[in-house]
Amino acid sequence: MDLVIKNGLLVSSSEIFKADIAINNGKIAHISEEINDTAVKEINAEGKYVFPGFIDAHTHMELPIKDDIYSVDDFYTGTLAAAFGGTTSIIDYIVPYQNQSLLSAYKLWRNKAEEKAVIDYGFHITISNPSDVILNEVKELFDYGVTSVKSFTTYLGKYMMTDDQIYGLLKESNKTKMLVCMHCENGYLLDYFIKQFIVEGKTEPIYHELSRPPFLEEEAVGRVIELARFAQSPIFIAHLSTAGGLEKIQKARDSGFRVATETCPGYLLLDKSVYELRGFESAKYICSPPLRPKWHQQKLWEGLMNGVIELVATDHCPFNFHKEKQAGKNDFTKIPNGIPSVEDRVPLIFSEGVIKRKIDLKQFVSIMSTAPAKVFGIYPEKGNLSVGADADIVIYDPDYEWTISAKTHHQNVDYSVFEGKKVVGKPYIIISNGEVIIKNDRFAGKKGRGKYIHRKASSLFD
């Protein structure tokens, strides 16, 4: 055996038990109450949790915003930070350039990741014009393991799709089992509100949030669900931020319709009050959809705990406050959207969810690992502890107390939206495909060691 983990408390989405795990050739080879096989390496996990590797199903590494502005984590720094936070797989969003073929965009993203990623990675693809040519490319990408697309009800003139386009895409996706992920905000009203504020000379960061009131998301969520229902296709709602949107998803699920959703750490732990900070400081928190009034947080936590929200992803899209964010110093519409959190997701949800709100450990594993693996077609290889699964494992210290800070994080960005946040629990040892890549807060792997994940169809089509 290459590695044996002994004396840990194993936690999956279905059971908790004390056992040893033997790993060989990058796979889990044996699980037993006691393993005495000779191994090249042995880890004593006494007093620690042994989790399946965590999965972040929504990231934006080195995403081009303009010719001279990219998200500042590339596939090396971004996946390194993810790994230090306990994430062993990401699914990143490919965003094609204007007039670029989807296959060409896929090859570009794949090449970037192959050279740099330190953990495993897969892709979604973003589309804005579902022409026959594009839909044929979507079918081709499915064979390459890209089995989900992202579309928008907003960003008029750039990404926004009309209702008939969304309906046509959903009809086609049901035939090919390509899951459609939707960014839901009412694009026409959003554009109207933005123009109104600009005309009035209201250009400060707070008007980003004021131009995107909660009902813009809530309306779009309901509309997209009804289009998907009529097309008889499952749907995934990205980065849910509102209680009203949650209610519409709950109602649809109660009726038996197949709709899944995610939320993000920012929506669970931050609120719109940050947009009232003095000066330009609030630009750090600009994201779309924006952070909401605080009372939405409790509703989202309830949705997470009762299973209506299946998973927590980050929508990690970092820009330096002292550089890229400054592009919007005099115009909120030019502030690059996105907040960094790929390294913070697991510790925050463990500390705030498991420790503070008493979320069951098995449900925690489901939210952070098993559900994203199932929804995005990488289960049972990822997201579980079973013989034959990839040996992506996080040995977790549940008692370690520490403070999140940009001074110590590995994200390639000059601030943290969770600066000074005290948390309980921290990833202790990170194992990816049977290799110990992080131990004692040091990276022991190699740049480019991560493997491409060839995904299957979503479990929502089962």
Side-chain angles (χ1 to χ4, degrees), residues 243-349:
L246 178 65
E247 289 177 7
K248 293 180 185 297
I249 293 168
Q250 172 78 71
K251 184 177 179 180
R253 286 168 60 96
D254 287 346
S255 71
F257 183 67
R258 294 166 295 168
V259 55
T261 191
E262 68 188 10
T263 193
C264 306
Y267 301 129
L268 292 167
L269 298 170
L270 302 171
D271 66 80
K272 66 170 286 185
S273 64
V274 296
Y275 298 128
E276 298 169 1
L277 295 173
R278 295 181 63 184
F280 193 62
E281 196 76 11
S282 57
K284 293 177 178 179
Y285 302 88
I286 295 296
C287 58
S288 294
L291 304 174
R292 302 301 188 181
K294 192 174 181 63
W295 68 269
H296 288 261
Q297 288 181 4
Q298 181 56 34
K299 295 297 182 181
L300 293 176
W301 277 110
E302 290 172 7
L304 200 59
M305 290 187 280
N306 65 26
V308 179
I309 300 173
E310 285 89 349
L311 57 122
V312 174
T314 59
D315 195 7
H316 178 76
C317 195
F319 299 96
N320 285 312
F321 174 67
H322 290 101
K323 188 176 180 182
E324 291 81 13
K325 291 278 188 180
Q326 297 297 316
K329 185 77 172 179
N330 299 310
D331 183 349
F332 72 89
T333 67
K334 295 179 181 179
I335 301 172
N337 282 211
I339 57 177
S341 59
V342 75
E343 188 169 355
D344 307 319
R345 178 183 68 110
V346 174
L348 282 171
I349 303 305

Side-chain angles (χ1 to χ4, degrees), residues 247-457:
E247 289 177 7
K248 293 180 185 297
I249 293 168
Q250 172 78 71
K251 184 177 179 180
R253 286 168 60 96
D254 287 346
S255 71
F257 183 67
R258 294 166 295 168
V259 55
T261 191
E262 68 188 10
T263 193
C264 306
Y267 301 129
L268 292 167
L269 298 170
L270 302 171
D271 66 80
K272 66 170 286 185
S273 64
V274 296
Y275 298 128
E276 298 169 1
L277 295 173
R278 295 181 63 184
F280 193 62
E281 196 76 11
S282 57
K284 293 177 178 179
Y285 302 88
I286 295 296
C287 58
S288 294
L291 304 174
R292 302 301 188 181
K294 192 174 181 63
W295 68 269
H296 288 261
Q297 288 181 4
Q298 181 56 34
K299 295 297 182 181
L300 293 176
W301 277 110
E302 290 172 7
L304 200 59
M305 290 187 280
N306 65 26
V308 179
I309 300 173
E310 285 89 349
L311 57 122
V312 174
T314 59
D315 195 7
H316 178 76
C317 195
F319 299 96
N320 285 312
F321 174 67
H322 290 101
K323 188 176 180 182
E324 291 81 13
K325 291 278 188 180
Q326 297 297 316
K329 185 77 172 179
N330 299 310
D331 183 349
F332 72 89
T333 67
K334 295 179 181 179
I335 301 172
N337 282 211
I339 57 177
S341 59
V342 75
E343 188 169 355
D344 307 319
R345 178 183 68 110
V346 174
L348 282 171
I349 303 305
F350 182 86
S351 186
E352 293 291 315
V354 175
I355 300 298
K356 184 175 180 179
R357 292 173 173 83
K358 308 304 179 186
I359 289 179
D360 180 79
L361 277 172
K362 293 181 288 186
Q363 187 177 18
F364 170 72
V365 169
S366 178
I367 291 166
M368 307 300 284
S369 182
T370 309
K374 289 180 176 179
V375 169
F376 292 109
I378 57 177
Y379 185 87
E381 294 82 7
K382 308 286 188 185
N384 84 112
L385 298 174
S386 64
V387 173
D390 292 347
D392 296 343
I393 294 170
V394 175
I395 301 175
Y396 206 87
D397 185 341
D399 302 315
Y400 190 92
E401 298 183 16
W402 58 290
T403 301
I404 294 174
S405 175
K407 295 177 182 178
T408 54
H409 74 198
H410 301 83
Q411 298 167 146
N412 188 36
V413 63
D414 62 3
Y415 72 98
S416 170
V417 294
F418 301 108
E419 185 70 38
K421 178 73 175 176
K422 295 181 179 180
V423 291
V424 178
K426 188 176 184 180
Y428 174 62
I429 295 175
I430 312 300
I431 299 167
S432 170
N433 290 302
E435 178 187 356
V436 176
I437 62 170
I438 292 176
K439 185 177 182 180
N440 297 326
D441 276 331
R442 293 187 177 182
F443 178 57
K446 292 182 179 180
K447 186 178 184 178
R449 65 164 300 282
K451 297 178 181 179
Y452 175 66
I453 305 170
H454 190 284
R455 297 192 291 124
K456 306 182 293 291

Side-chain angles (χ1 to χ4, degrees), residues 139-209:
K139 293 176 187 176
E140 187 175 1
L141 281 178
F142 193 99
D143 295 332
Y144 284 90
V146 180
T147 59
S148 50
V149 301
K150 186 179 183 182
S151 295
F152 298 78
T153 63
T154 190
Y155 300 126
L156 186 62
K158 189 174 182 181
Y159 296 123
M160 180 175 158
M161 287 171 54
T162 57
D163 288 355
D164 59 316
Q165 289 176 320
I166 295 170
Y167 174 74
L169 175 62
L170 288 163
K171 287 287 287 185
E172 191 63 33
S173 73
N174 202 35
K175 298 175 187 175
T176 60
K177 295 188 176 181
M178 176 73 79
L179 181 64
V180 176
C181 308
M182 293 298 303
H183 176 133
C184 294
E185 293 178 284
N186 186 306
Y188 290 114
L189 281 175
L190 173 55
D191 187 63
Y192 172 81
F193 292 146
I194 287 175
K195 288 178 179 177
Q196 187 177 47
F197 285 136
I198 295 298
V199 167
E200 294 171 357
K202 297 174 179 177
T203 59
E204 295 86 354
I206 192 171
Y207 292 102
H208 172 84
E209 185 270 330

